[in-house]
Amino acid sequence: MKRIERTGTIIKILSESPGKLFSLNFFTNLFGAAKSTVSEDIAICKKIVENLGDGEIVTVAGAAGGVKYIPRVSERVIKEFQTYLSDRLNEPSRVLTGGFLFTSDIMFDPHVTKQAGKIFATRFMDLNADYVVTIETKGIALALMAAEALNLSLVVMRREGKISEGSTLSINYISGSSGKIQKMSVSKKSLVPGTKAIIIDDFMRGGGSACGMAEMLSELDVETVGIGVLIATREPEKKLVDNYYPILYLDNHDNPHKSIFVSPNKVMP
Amino acid sequence: MKRIERTGTIIKILSESPGKLFSLNFFTNLFGAAKSTVSEDIAICKKIVENLGDGEIVTVAGAAGGVKYIPRVSERVIKEFQTYLSDRLNEPSRVLTGGFLFTSDIMFDPHVTKQAGKIFATRFMDLNADYVVTIETKGIALALMAAEALNLSLVVMRREGKISEGSTLSINYISGSSGKIQKMSVSKKSLVPGTKAIIIDDFMRGGGSACGMAEMLSELDVETVGIGVLIATREPEKKLVDNYYPILYLDNHDNPHKSIFVSPNKVMP
């Protein structure tokens, strides 16, 4: 195989499995090439990926080392994405009766959720988490794409305990915004005690869901090390959790007939 | 930019947006290179991707033409995946009280769902569908990855109509296996009449959910052109829908204390 074929192959394999470590041996065997040759190939791949502005190839030294692809979205790419998404969310046809915003198409859009997942990964990459956790339903696509970008397992909490979940831990909690009692439940099989989790959700108003998830995790001896949402409301400014990262903000609208204003979070991940 | 850098860049851009058409102009502008040069680059990329056995780069001729990456998983890769997944599902610790199988970790695993999504794409690529449709909750990750691989929108039906979904269409249907009445609901905003959909779900026993979804779609003048599930039970052999494609089969177990047997579908997509 020629160098041009090896580099193309390395880039495809690495970028399709973000965060997964591939040993140098993996590539020397695949190509039947010497280590020094593959090392030179990888140096070229690093330069190519860096130029694209949405990730990097990282070398991990040592006997258990190798190379991996890490999504790391540049400020320019994030700003373009925020503008594109704000424009879509500000379409007047999205405002439903009662001032609610129709977002389901966006929250399950493969392109949107993939890009958002990479932005969450850029924010939370260095926290060495073990899981991404969300609660059904509308945050699942975002959480899955974040889990893929971070190379982590995804755990989805349910509203009701299901027979197919085995033994579950459940709590009732009060929604921060509506004041209504809600339930969440998680399979005990799905989390190992003494680990760390990142919570991802579609939307945060009062922070009740995120706070409830963190409480459940804490009962299972899992530490919440980060919280990311696609959209957070500006009001109430004080939420039930601190230290959450929204990609977009939703401005308050006292009058349900007023337009809805979605705008970028200017703080970069 | 050198040829080796251009080909690596083309492979990364195409493979990260499956099914999305990129014009030749896009690449000539990106590289400041001549059309003939980019055409030669693409010929090299095609060869590299073909050798990897999980997709191909396709040229679409004409003024609105260009190139796109299509996931198309080889028989060898599918068989390896089926064996790996059957082994995981046959772990004795997965059998819950009552003989249920714990599958949540697998149904939300980013690697598993991504590979399954590509297999569904390989099966359904040529049907020219407009949507992938599923029902909450455990099929969402599979459906999202299938939608990504097919470059389609994903529509998620809900168990209950939600205020944030706008006006919805709902039906009650009888679950094919349990005989219980269940409800499903879909936002009318999310589907355009006169289109085609592929239904993806995690599990099929009697086919009630798939049949209900197809009925809902039909009421919205959306034709169901394919049905894919990760696991289908062998019994009942006659389901409420025909022409579904399972990646794995689950053999029946009359005695709840018996082992559960998951095995590959030997029919290739």
Side-chain angles (χ1 to χ4, degrees), chain A residues 95 99 253-259:
Chain A
V95 185
H253 49 107
D254 304 303
N255 174 349
H257 299 291
K258 243 169 94 175
S259 305

Side-chain angles (χ1 to χ4, degrees), chain B:
Chain B
M1 225 190 234
K2 290 187 220 159
R3 167 148 286 159
I4 197 167
E5 292 163 2
R6 292 194 306 268
T7 50
T9 304
I10 292 170
I11 286 177
K12 183 155 189 302
I13 290 175
L14 290 183
S15 66
E16 290 216 336
S17 292
K20 186 173 165 188
L21 196 67
F22 291 85
S23 68
L24 232 58
N25 278 340
F26 173 86
F27 291 112
T28 56
N29 291 337
L30 186 67
F31 301 138
K35 271 203 172 168
S36 57
T37 308
V38 170
S39 293
E40 285 168 39
D41 295 342
I42 288 168
I44 295 167
C45 293
K46 280 189 184 186
K47 198 178 145 199
I48 295 171
V49 168
E50 198 179 296
N51 280 339
L52 274 163
D54 68 346
E56 52 183 307
I57 293 173
V58 176
T59 303
V60 178
V67 285
K68 60 183 176 179
Y69 171 71
I70 302 282
R72 204 179 287 277
V73 192
S74 70
E75 201 166 314
R76 179 184 59 78
V77 173
I78 293 171
K79 284 182 175 167
E80 278 171 17
F81 176 72
Q82 286 175 321
T83 303
Y84 157 80
L85 203 54
S86 304
D87 289 350
R88 273 187 74 182
L89 285 163
N90 283 321
E91 289 159 7
S93 63
R94 293 195 171 272
V95 185
L96 302 171
T97 317
F100 285 91
L101 197 61
F102 181 75
T103 63
S104 298
D105 57 335
I106 283 174
M107 296 304 178
F108 293 118
D109 182 311
H111 299 293
V112 168
T113 52
K114 188 167 186 168
Q115 194 64 18
K118 285 183 190 171
I119 295 173
F120 290 133
T122 304
R123 169 85 179 189
F124 299 123
M125 187 67 75
D126 303 325
L127 300 177
N128 293 316
D130 303 283
Y131 300 101
V132 171
V133 175
T134 191
I135 182 155
E136 60 182 347
T137 299
K138 278 169 71 183
I140 293 177
L142 289 163
L144 181 75
M145 291 303 197
E148 191 199 5
L150 288 160
N151 194 27
L152 297 179
S153 299
L154 170 62
V155 175
V156 178
M157 295 192 181
R158 309 294 294 261
R159 292 288 173 191
E160 295 292 334
K162 300 278 170 188
I163 198 159
S164 59
E165 297 277 324
S167 94
T168 55
L169 179 75
S170 298
I171 58 163
N172 292 301
Y173 70 102
I174 294 178
S175 162
S177 46
S178 70
K180 276 197 291 184
I181 292 180
Q182 299 218 270
K183 191 176 166 180
M184 61 173 71
S185 151
V186 67
S187 163
K188 285 191 190 169
K189 286 174 97 78
S190 55
L191 292 148
V192 173
T195 53
K196 294 179 192 171
I198 291 158
I199 290 173
I200 298 290
D201 212 349
D202 58 322
F203 192 78
M204 184 185 290
R205 190 179 302 269
S209 292
C211 182
M213 280 191 264
E215 198 184 312
M216 289 269 275
L217 291 172
S218 161
E219 289 219 23
L220 292 165
D221 193 21
V222 176
E223 185 192 355
T224 300
V225 292
I227 301 174
V229 295
L230 189 68
I231 308 171
T233 57
R234 290 219 190 257
E235 301 286 330
E237 207 187 315
K238 181 141 183 58
K239 313 222 186 269
L240 292 172
V241 291
D242 308 314
N243 218 351
Y244 57 94
Y245 182 79
I247 294 177
L248 301 171
Y249 279 108
L250 177 64
D251 282 311
N252 264 36
H253 49 107
D254 304 303
N255 174 349
H257 299 290
K258 241 169 96 176
S259 305
I260 280 185
F261 295 109
V262 176
S263 57
N265 179 4
K266 294 208 166 67
V267 178
M268 286 293 116

Side-chain angles (χ1 to χ4, degrees), chain A residues 93-258:
Chain A
S93 63
R94 293 194 171 273
V95 185
L96 303 171
T97 316
F100 284 91
L101 197 60
F102 181 75
T103 62
S104 298
D105 57 337
I106 283 174
M107 295 304 178
F108 293 117
D109 182 311
H111 300 292
V112 168
T113 53
K114 187 166 187 170
Q115 194 65 17
K118 286 183 190 172
I119 295 173
F120 290 133
T122 304
R123 170 83 179 191
F124 299 123
M125 186 67 74
D126 303 325
L127 299 177
N128 294 314
D130 303 282
Y131 300 101
V132 171
V133 175
T134 192
I135 183 153
E136 60 182 348
T137 300
K138 278 169 71 183
I140 293 176
L142 289 163
L144 181 77
M145 292 301 196
E148 191 199 4
L150 288 160
N151 194 27
L152 298 178
S153 300
L154 171 62
V155 175
V156 178
M157 296 193 180
R158 309 293 295 261
R159 292 289 173 191
E160 295 292 335
K162 300 279 170 188
I163 199 159
S164 60
E165 296 277 325
S167 96
T168 55
L169 179 75
S170 297
I171 57 163
N172 292 301
Y173 69 101
I174 294 179
S175 162
S177 46
S178 70
K180 276 196 290 185
I181 292 180
Q182 299 218 272
K183 191 175 167 181
M184 60 173 73
S185 152
V186 68
S187 163
K188 286 191 189 170
K189 286 176 98 76
S190 55
L191 291 149
V192 173
T195 53
K196 294 179 192 172
I198 291 157
I199 291 173
I200 299 289
D201 211 349
D202 59 322
F203 192 78
M204 183 186 291
R205 191 179 302 270
S209 292
C211 182
M213 281 190 263
E215 197 184 314
M216 289 268 276
L217 291 171
S218 162
E219 288 220 24
L220 292 165
D221 192 23
V222 176
E223 184 192 355
T224 300
V225 292
I227 301 173
V229 294
L230 190 68
I231 308 171
T233 57
R234 289 217 191 259
E235 301 286 332
E237 207 186 315
K238 180 137 185 58
K239 312 223 187 270
L240 292 172
V241 290
D242 308 314
N243 217 351
Y244 58 94
Y245 182 78
I247 295 178
L248 301 171
Y249 279 109
L250 177 63
D251 282 310
N252 264 36
H253 49 107
D254 304 303
N255 174 349
H257 299 291
K258 243 169 94 175

Side-chain angles (χ1 to χ4, degrees), chain A residues 3-70:
Chain A
R3 166 147 287 160
I4 197 166
E5 290 162 5
R6 293 195 305 269
T7 50
T9 303
I10 292 170
I11 286 177
K12 183 155 188 301
I13 289 175
L14 291 183
S15 65
E16 289 217 338
S17 292
K20 186 173 166 190
L21 196 67
F22 291 85
S23 68
L24 233 58
N25 278 340
F26 174 86
F27 291 113
T28 56
N29 291 338
L30 186 68
F31 301 139
K35 270 205 173 169
S36 57
T37 307
V38 171
S39 293
E40 286 168 39
D41 294 342
I42 288 168
I44 295 167
C45 293
K46 280 190 183 187
K47 196 178 146 198
I48 295 171
V49 168
E50 198 179 295
N51 280 338
L52 274 163
D54 67 347
E56 52 184 307
I57 293 173
V58 176
T59 303
V60 179
V67 284
K68 59 182 177 179
Y69 170 71
I70 302 281

